[in-house]
Amino acid sequence: MSSMVTFATCFLIGVNAFLFDLKEADLDPLLKYSTTEIRERLVDKYRISDYAMMVRNTIHEISKIEGVMEEAVKGSQATWCKQLRTLTKRSYINMYRDFGYYRLRIIIYVLMAICLGTIYYDVGNGYTAIQARASCGGFVSGFMTFMSIGGFPSFIEEMKVFSLERQNGHYGVAAYIISNFLSSMPFLLTMSWASASITYWMVKFRPGFSYFAFFALNLYGGVSVIESLMMIISALVPNFLMGLILGAGVIGIMMLTSGFFRLLPELPKIFWKYPVSYIVYGSWGLKGAYKNDLLGLEFEPMTPGGEKLTGEFIITNMMGLSVSYSKWLDLAMIFILLLAYRITFFFVLKVKEAAAPYLRVAYTRFTVKRLERRASFRESLAMTSLSKRHNAPHPMAMQEGLNSPMQQY
């Protein structure tokens, strides 16, 4: 960079000195030439002048100095850990200061939890409570996680900042994704545990901290998966309206294949059950919620005097689910999906970054072809070429309001 500045300085000094000499010499005959001819003569005269030789010698001497000719350093000078630490801190501050990012959503979740708790308040263990508990679990696993779509506008703005900083090489993609996950974790945990504590104790699910912890972690995992999904969509579709429509559609499909609106055994096996129901968070979250709430409980039969229904019987026969593995495996699958979504987000950003130059070239060609098909564009090109062909260059001295550069020195 310093060598380029020195070269520019020496070049300007040489040109100024050369033009000063031209001023001293009376070159009035040059005024009859056109601007192009004067420019060519200036370049030729300077190339063979003593000033050009002096500039070349100066540049040659500067290039011998060690450390002057340095290559431009690409990328960030900070270590990866420092990048992660700085990004996490900055992202956390931004999320905290932006009222609509998480704080407003926490308030909405708390209000929704109060509404849900009052509707299903003390649901009990009657026969009708079976459907009520299942509906409450379906709402928590489906609609309460669906509300995370409200963070999409903030994701769009964040992706704009990321794109600009990534082009300048300030940090890597992995550091950005991990920092975003770490900075959002306190807010998502607060949102999940606050709303879960209200709903769980008002509905009066099974008492015990382990059952409550599972309920809260299940909600946290679902919300985190939806956030990761919306970040992928924000990277693919940087348009607010289209992103919301696409996100709502994808989440709607996840809800349909979760096993609440249609039982998992009754889903069409091709595509909807295999593989869709296995790669969406809703099916794992709902199965874990059923096991956490129903196993170990007994419910009243449909007709008085009949045998009580156990939670295991309800899960296996009425819902068609298996109890051969633990609910914690269902919860672990949600976090595995969370990791898979974050990895997908990483590859989406990488592929988008690599394909960006080709997409710009393709878009430019498409735009040019579209303009060429317009009659008005072709007429403007024809008029421009016609005006250039019939307007011969005039000597600079004959143009009104312009003076020859020879007269300025």
Side-chain angles (χ1 to χ4, degrees):
M1 182 63 70
S2 59
S3 61
M4 294 298 296
V5 174
T6 305
F7 170 76
T9 305
C10 295
F11 179 76
L12 290 176
I13 294 174
V15 170
N16 289 332
F18 175 67
L19 292 177
F20 180 78
D21 285 355
L22 288 179
K23 175 184 175 183
E24 297 296 328
D26 189 8
L27 298 179
D28 290 337
L30 288 177
L31 298 179
K32 65 181 180 180
Y33 295 105
S34 64
T35 305
T36 304
E37 293 174 335
I38 292 176
R39 185 186 302 111
E40 293 177 354
R41 285 176 174 268
L42 285 174
V43 172
D44 293 336
K45 291 289 185 180
Y46 176 76
R47 186 180 294 112
I48 61 176
S49 65
D50 296 335
Y51 300 102
M53 181 65 67
M54 179 184 65
V55 171
R56 285 194 292 267
N57 293 334
T58 304
I59 295 174
H60 181 71
E61 294 295 330
I62 293 176
S63 63
K64 294 181 180 180
I65 302 175
E66 184 179 0
V68 174
M69 302 297 290
E70 297 179 351
E71 296 182 356
V73 179
K74 298 181 179 180
S76 175
Q77 299 300 301
T79 62
W80 189 86
C81 293
K82 186 175 182 179
Q83 293 178 18
L84 179 62
R85 185 170 60 253
T86 305
L87 286 174
T88 303
K89 181 180 178 180
R90 188 187 70 173
S91 182
Y92 176 84
I93 295 175
N94 180 50
M95 292 174 182
Y96 179 78
R97 289 178 177 176
D98 190 352
F99 181 74
Y101 206 126
Y102 279 116
R103 288 191 290 169
L104 178 61
R105 291 163 60 190
I106 291 175
I107 296 174
I108 298 299
Y109 265 76
V110 170
L111 295 176
M112 185 62 66
I114 295 174
C115 296
L116 188 63
T118 55
I119 293 174
Y120 292 98
Y121 180 75
D122 195 6
V123 68
N125 291 344
Y127 182 79
T128 56
I130 299 174
Q131 181 61 36
R133 289 173 179 266
S135 300
C136 184
F139 186 89
V140 172
S141 300
F143 289 100
M144 289 194 75
T145 54
F146 178 83
M147 291 165 56
S148 294
I149 197 174
F152 184 75
S154 301
F155 299 154
I156 289 289
E157 298 300 325
E158 189 171 331
M159 287 305 302
K160 293 179 182 179
V161 177
F162 166 77
S163 300
L164 293 175
E165 295 179 343
R166 179 60 183 157
Q167 290 176 1
N168 295 326
H170 293 325
Y171 48 82
V173 178
Y176 166 73
I177 294 176
I178 297 175
S179 65
N180 178 271
F181 175 75
L182 294 176
S183 58
S184 63
M185 183 183 294
F187 299 99
L188 294 180
L189 285 174
T190 302
M191 181 190 306
S192 303
W193 284 75
S195 56
S197 60
I198 296 173
T199 301
Y200 196 86
W201 302 116
M202 290 185 69
V203 178
K204 294 187 179 180
F205 287 116
R206 296 184 63 180
F209 179 77
S210 62
Y211 299 105
F212 166 74
F214 182 92
F215 185 86
L217 289 175
N218 196 21
L219 178 58
Y220 166 75
V223 172
S224 299
V225 169
I226 294 299
E227 292 243 327
S228 301
L229 173 65
M230 295 308 298
M231 295 192 73
I232 295 174
I233 294 176
S234 66
L236 293 174
V237 187
N239 181 277
F240 176 73
L241 183 60
M242 292 180 60
L244 283 179
I245 294 173
L246 180 60
V250 173
I251 298 173
I253 294 175
M254 290 183 174
M255 293 169 60
L256 284 174
T257 56
S258 63
F260 177 74
F261 297 97
R262 185 74 185 267
L263 298 179
L264 289 177
E266 298 176 359
L267 286 175
K269 290 182 173 53
I270 298 178
F271 185 71
W272 292 116
K273 186 174 182 180
Y274 308 105
V276 173
S277 65
Y278 284 86
I279 61 176
V280 299
Y281 78 97
S283 60
W284 300 103
L286 199 59
K287 286 187 290 186
Y290 287 160
K291 294 176 184 179
N292 184 63
D293 179 42
L294 299 178
L295 287 181
L297 296 181
E298 290 185 347
F299 296 87
E300 297 295 332
M302 184 173 59
T303 58
E307 186 178 356
K308 289 189 175 183
L309 302 176
T310 62
E312 183 177 354
F313 176 83
I314 295 171
I315 292 176
T316 55
N317 293 275
M318 299 179 64
M319 299 177 179
L321 302 177
S322 174
V323 293
S324 59
Y325 56 90
S326 172
K327 63 182 180 181
W328 297 104
L329 180 59
D330 295 317
L331 182 62
M333 286 301 302
I334 294 179
F335 286 96
I336 291 175
L337 288 175
L338 173 60
L339 177 62
Y341 279 43
R342 289 286 173 169
I343 294 176
T344 303
F345 183 44
F346 173 83
F347 282 108
V348 166
L349 292 179
K350 280 292 188 180
V351 172
K352 182 181 178 181
E353 183 178 318
Y358 303 99
L359 293 177
R360 284 194 293 266
V361 171
Y363 179 76
T364 303
R365 292 177 178 176
F366 172 76
T367 304
V368 171
K369 290 181 179 179
R370 185 177 61 181
L371 290 175
E372 289 177 349
R373 288 195 294 266
R374 296 182 180 179
S376 59
F377 183 76
R378 292 195 299 268
E379 291 177 359
S380 63
L381 287 179
M383 293 296 296
T384 302
S385 61
L386 183 63
S387 61
K388 288 183 177 180
R389 187 164 58 250
H390 289 83
N391 292 335
H394 298 285
M396 196 171 192
M398 298 178 62
Q399 299 182 24
E400 184 179 357
L402 297 178
N403 295 322
S404 171
M406 302 298 102
Q407 297 177 354
Q408 300 178 7
Y409 293 90

